[in-house]
Amino acid sequence: MNIRSIIAALAISSMAVPAAAQDKPIELTSAIQLVSQSDGGEKLVDPASIVPGDVLEFQTNYSNRTGATISDFTVVSPVPQHVTLTPASAASLEVSVDGGTVWGPLASLTITAEDQTSRPATAEDVTHLRWVVAQMAPKAEGVVSYRATVK
């Protein structure tokens, strides 16, 4: 697989829109790294190439650019179509399986088929992730992340 085109596609589809203008209170930046297994455990590295089965970590860094506290800041991230959430990420995050209309833990969501039958949602059904930051102090920074396996 061509790593540049895959990472570019994944980055574009997963990236939160940065608030780059000087008058925007929140700045967002995104990064994608490969979870590499080594002798001492795992580490995050910039991928030289990726193949199906590789695990990637998607990170969104946020910073309060103002001198005021910001309340109830929400980060929403679409899940790229070329990956599936890892079981740990799927179980621990607030997700949507319908493009961001209904949110909740994965275990509480269902998928309705065309014949109106329903089934429990799975990690492969997740379309979006959401994090709500209750309060951000002036000039504070933070990061939210999730892991997904390349299909």
Side-chain angles (χ1 to χ4, degrees):
M1 296 182 146
N2 179 334
I3 186 65
R4 288 188 178 135
S5 63
I6 292 172
I7 292 296
L10 293 174
I12 289 168
S13 64
S14 69
M15 187 178 300
V17 178
Q22 291 295 332
D23 60 342
K24 299 292 183 181
I26 304 292
E27 180 177 14
L28 300 172
T29 58
S30 295
I32 303 171
Q33 293 189 295
L34 176 68
V35 178
S36 174
Q37 301 299 323
S38 63
D39 294 336
E42 64 181 35
K43 62 182 179 177
L44 299 176
V45 298
D46 290 329
S49 65
I50 58 173
V51 296
D54 281 347
V55 176
L56 302 173
E57 182 167 296
F58 295 79
Q59 302 168 347
T60 299
N61 299 286
Y62 56 89
S63 61
N64 179 350
R65 297 173 56 154
T66 73
T69 298
I70 296 176
S71 298
D72 297 323
F73 171 67
T74 302
V75 178
V76 174
S77 181
V79 176
Q81 67 180 7
H82 303 292
V83 300
T84 299
L85 289 181
T86 63
S89 287
S92 65
L93 298 172
E94 184 177 28
V95 302
S96 175
V97 295
D98 62 4
T101 302
V102 176
W103 294 93
L106 183 60
S108 72
L109 301 175
T110 59
I111 298 293
T112 302
E114 289 181 22
D115 65 1
Q116 299 306 309
T117 60
S118 64
R119 64 169 173 80
T122 67
E124 288 193 14
D125 298 316
V126 175
T127 61
H128 291 76
L129 304 165
R130 177 170 73 178
W131 298 264
V132 177
V133 180
Q135 281 197 330
M136 287 178 53
K139 307 299 181 188
E141 296 180 353
V143 63
V144 292
S145 65
Y146 69 95
R147 290 186 176 183
T149 304
V150 177
K151 294 179 185 177

